[in-house]
């Protein structure tokens, strides 16, 4: 198990340090995470600070068609609440209020049972939220949670690097 985790993190660093475009790196990291955790779907919602909204930018299943570009205001649904609190959360569909608060996600995965949300942030800035979606009711092991949290830190580093390069 430890060797699998090390292999996953090595792959993630290879993607992070690759010379492909920033968008490709982001897509590859989200896809790699979904494959490693064997979840049905991984989604990255980027923060639009001006609108105080999180917009779906990346799906592990490929490009997001315009009619499925979901958005959540800060503080609303699991995506918005995770951005507001900057704390990871795992919820299950049968919990009171989960289905209604996260109804837009049903467009992407109508049969979901588990949603796990992780803030993508560094010590100063929130960049977005990573959502894991699965059709089974599951929780994440501490090792899985740690792997996702490390991935989120790598995503934050990649996003910060892209912002710095854009400002230069």
């Amino acid at each position: 198990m430890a060797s699998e985790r090390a292999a996953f993190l090595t792959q993630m660093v290879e993607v992070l340090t690759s010379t492909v475009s920033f968008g490709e790196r982001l897509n590859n990291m989200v896809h790699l995470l979904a494959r490693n955790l064997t979840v049905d779907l991984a989604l990255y919602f980027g923060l639009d600070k001006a609108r105080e909204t999180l917009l779906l930018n990346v799906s592990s299943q490929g490009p997001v068609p315009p009619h499925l570009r979901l958005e959540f205001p800060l503080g609303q649904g699991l995506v918005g609440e995770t951005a507001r609190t900057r704390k990871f959360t795992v919820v299950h569909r049968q919990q009171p209020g989960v289905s209604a608060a996260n109804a837009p996600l049903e467009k992407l995965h109508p049969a979901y049972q588990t949603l796990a949300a992780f803030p993508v942030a560094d010590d100063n800035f929130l960049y977005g939220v990573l959502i894991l979606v699965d059709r089974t009711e599951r929780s994440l092991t501490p090792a899985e949670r740690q792997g996702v949290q490390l991935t989120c830190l790598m995503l934050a580093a990649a996003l910060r690097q892209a912002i710095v390069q854009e400002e230069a």
Side-chain angles (χ1 to χ4, degrees), residues 45 54-56 67-72 104-105 107-108:
F45 287 82
L54 291 122
L55 307 166
L56 178 58
H67 70 283
L68 292 178
R69 296 209 183 247
L70 307 179
E71 59 182 72
F72 285 87
L105 293 172
K107 292 178 185 177
L108 300 172

Side-chain angles (χ1 to χ4, degrees), residues 25-85:
R25 275 186 282 160
L26 187 61
N27 285 330
N28 291 341
M29 291 173 83
V30 170
H31 177 77
L32 182 59
L33 179 66
R35 190 178 74 205
N36 181 68
L37 290 177
T38 61
V39 294
D40 294 334
L41 186 61
L43 306 167
Y44 173 73
F45 287 82
L47 177 63
D48 180 336
K49 290 180 186 176
R51 294 180 48 217
E52 295 188 347
T53 302
L54 291 122
L55 307 166
L56 178 58
N57 297 128
V58 178
S59 167
S60 61
Q61 293 182 335
V64 181
H67 70 283
L68 292 178
R69 296 209 183 247
L70 307 179
E71 59 182 72
F72 285 87
L74 280 175
Q76 288 191 4
L78 183 63
V79 176
E81 188 60 21
T82 299
R84 190 183 66 74
T85 64

Side-chain angles (χ1 to χ4, degrees), residues 37-41 90-95 98 109-116 132-140 144:
L37 290 177
T38 61
V39 294
D40 294 334
L41 186 61
V90 177
V91 297
H92 298 101
R93 185 183 207 124
Q94 88 282 359
Q95 290 174 260
V98 168
H109 196 308
Y112 83 84
Q113 294 300 314
T114 301
L115 299 173
L132 305 176
V133 184
D134 202 68
R135 75 185 81 156
T136 62
E137 189 171 306
R138 66 183 279 189
S139 56
L140 298 174
E144 288 174 325

